[in-house]
Amino acid sequence: MVDGLETELVVEGKVILANIYFLLGDLQVARQEATRTMEEARRHELTRMLARSYRLLGRILAAQDEYEQAGACFEEALQIFRDHGMRLDYARALHGYGDTLLERSTPGAGVYQTGLAHLNEARTIFAACHAAIDLNWVDQSLTNTTSEILEI
């Protein structure tokens, strides 16, 4: 039991480290760490860490303008979170994917509408779960989107 818990904590720490590299803008190292973490999570059957690694890799790939691969990673994360009933993680993946879709499209386009739908679904889940910080975060995304539409 301790070994399993310890392994999960180590892998979670690696996901956090990859996130730090991403936030610092070191996308190459973040991508390498996220990929390694994904492999380790898969090897140890750590479902949540695997899906979180997919979500992070989606964000990294989107930042590197590799949108098709990013979308595949987000879709994989969403599927895992949905299949395992991880509502907050699912909503966070929707939020990240929604932001990514909005960033790469123009208002009115199908991709843009999908992005908005993802943000709205994430908002509904955050509200139902009383996840105030996440709700505020997605509201900011929706406010920025509305401002951009009004400027056009």
Side-chain angles (χ1 to χ4, degrees):
M1 177 70 177
V2 173
D3 274 346
L5 181 59
E6 188 174 304
T7 299
E8 186 170 356
L9 290 172
V10 168
V11 173
E12 184 174 16
K14 290 179 180 183
V15 172
I16 292 168
L17 181 61
N19 257 302
I20 290 168
Y21 283 117
F22 172 71
L23 293 172
L24 290 173
D26 195 340
L27 300 179
Q28 204 54 36
V29 173
R31 184 174 180 167
Q32 291 168 353
E33 290 296 321
T35 302
R36 274 190 233 136
T37 302
M38 186 181 304
E39 292 165 2
E40 195 168 340
R42 188 176 288 119
R43 186 172 53 253
H44 294 288
E45 299 178 4
L46 300 170
T47 305
R48 176 173 270 142
M49 292 305 112
L50 176 63
R52 285 182 177 176
S53 295
Y54 271 115
R55 180 178 67 204
L56 174 58
L57 191 55
R59 292 176 68 202
I60 294 165
L61 291 166
Q64 293 177 323
D65 296 330
E66 296 182 37
Y67 295 113
E68 192 170 317
Q69 285 183 292
C73 287
F74 278 118
E75 291 292 341
E76 188 65 32
L78 287 169
Q79 185 67 45
I80 293 168
F81 290 138
R82 184 177 30 251
D83 289 350
H84 293 277
M86 300 176 199
R87 288 183 71 198
L88 281 176
D89 281 311
Y90 176 75
R92 289 174 182 139
L94 280 172
H95 183 195
Y97 195 16
D99 278 344
T100 297
L101 293 173
L102 293 179
E103 289 170 8
R104 71 181 184 116
S105 61
T106 56
V111 170
Y112 193 87
Q113 295 305 319
T114 301
L116 275 179
H118 285 348
L119 290 180
N120 283 311
E121 184 179 354
R123 187 188 190 291
T124 299
I125 294 168
F126 292 146
C129 293
H130 305 287
I133 293 171
D134 290 296
L135 184 59
N136 184 34
W137 187 36
V138 79
D139 280 344
Q140 287 176 352
S141 291
L142 288 166
T143 299
N144 292 342
T145 300
T146 303
S147 298
E148 290 171 11
I149 291 172
L150 293 176
E151 289 176 8
I152 293 176

